[in-house]
Amino acid sequence: DEDFVNAFTTKSISTGGRNRRLVKYILTKIENQLAGKGYHYTDATFIIEHILPEHYGENWNEFFAGSSEKYVHRLGNYTLLEVGKNREAGDKPFEEKKVLYQTSQFKLTQDLLRYEEWNIAALNQRQEQMAKWAKAIWKM
C-alpha cells in the first residue's frame, strides 16, 4: 500500500490516445468512492478537466515557476467536469474556473474549492489526497 501511495503521489499520465480512458477510469473510480455513486467512465456527459490547462497562457506560468509543462499531466491536475462546463472553463484562470467547479455534480471537483490558488503546492497536496482515496479503492 505504501509503495502504491508513493507511486500515485507523483504519477503523470498524458490524456492522449488510450490514456484518456485510463485517466477517466481512475477519476471516475475516485469520484464513486467519494460520492457513493455509480458513474461509469464511458459516460459521455462528463470528461476530464485539466485544472492547469493543456494549452495554458503566460498567466499560468507564474503559478508554476515557469515549468507548467511538468505539471499539466499530473493526476492531481485532473478532475471530472460536465462537458458544457468544461468547454466554458477552457484556459480561464483558476479563480474563474472555481465558479464552474462550485456548480459541478462531482465531489472530486467540488473539493477544489478549498484551494485559494492553483499552483505546485496545491497540486501536490491534492495528488497526495487522491493517492489516499485511491488506496482505499485499490487495496494491495
Side-chain angles (χ1 to χ4, degrees):
D1 283 345
E2 187 178 328
D3 289 342
F4 174 82
V5 168
N6 289 336
F8 195 101
T9 298
T10 58
K11 188 69 176 166
S12 288
I13 304 175
S14 168
T15 54
R18 280 198 217 152
N19 285 345
R20 181 175 306 278
R21 290 174 62 101
L22 173 62
V23 171
K24 191 172 178 190
Y25 172 79
I26 292 167
L27 296 173
T28 303
K29 291 293 273 187
I30 293 172
E31 174 65 26
N32 288 341
Q33 172 78 8
L34 288 176
K37 299 285 185 174
Y39 297 114
H40 196 272
Y41 74 100
T42 59
D43 186 332
T45 63
F46 62 92
I47 58 177
I48 301 163
E49 157 71 353
H50 293 74
I51 303 156
L52 162 65
E54 281 186 292
H55 307 288
Y56 50 86
E58 288 293 318
N59 59 320
W60 281 96
N61 270 327
E62 71 181 85
F63 297 104
F64 287 87
S67 57
S68 300
E69 71 281 351
K70 291 182 184 177
Y71 298 95
V72 167
H73 299 293
R74 290 274 307 273
L75 288 175
N77 188 53
Y78 299 137
T79 195
L80 297 173
L81 198 58
E82 296 84 350
V83 172
K85 290 178 185 178
N86 180 266
R87 262 189 243 113
E88 191 176 340
D91 65 351
K92 289 181 178 174
F94 183 64
E95 306 80 48
E96 292 178 38
K97 287 185 169 204
K98 280 176 66 173
V99 174
L100 295 167
Y101 296 165
Q102 189 172 16
T103 63
S104 176
Q105 68 189 9
F106 300 107
K107 296 247 186 247
L108 183 61
T109 303
Q110 289 181 1
D111 180 65
L112 291 163
L113 300 175
R114 66 188 172 112
Y115 297 100
E116 291 297 317
E117 58 184 30
W118 193 245
N119 55 29
I120 296 168
L123 190 152
N124 286 335
Q125 181 183 9
R126 182 164 190 264
Q127 193 156 337
E128 287 173 19
Q129 179 59 59
M130 289 173 71
K132 292 173 187 170
W133 293 329
K135 181 180 116 180
I137 298 165
W138 295 288
K139 294 201 179 278
M140 299 300 216

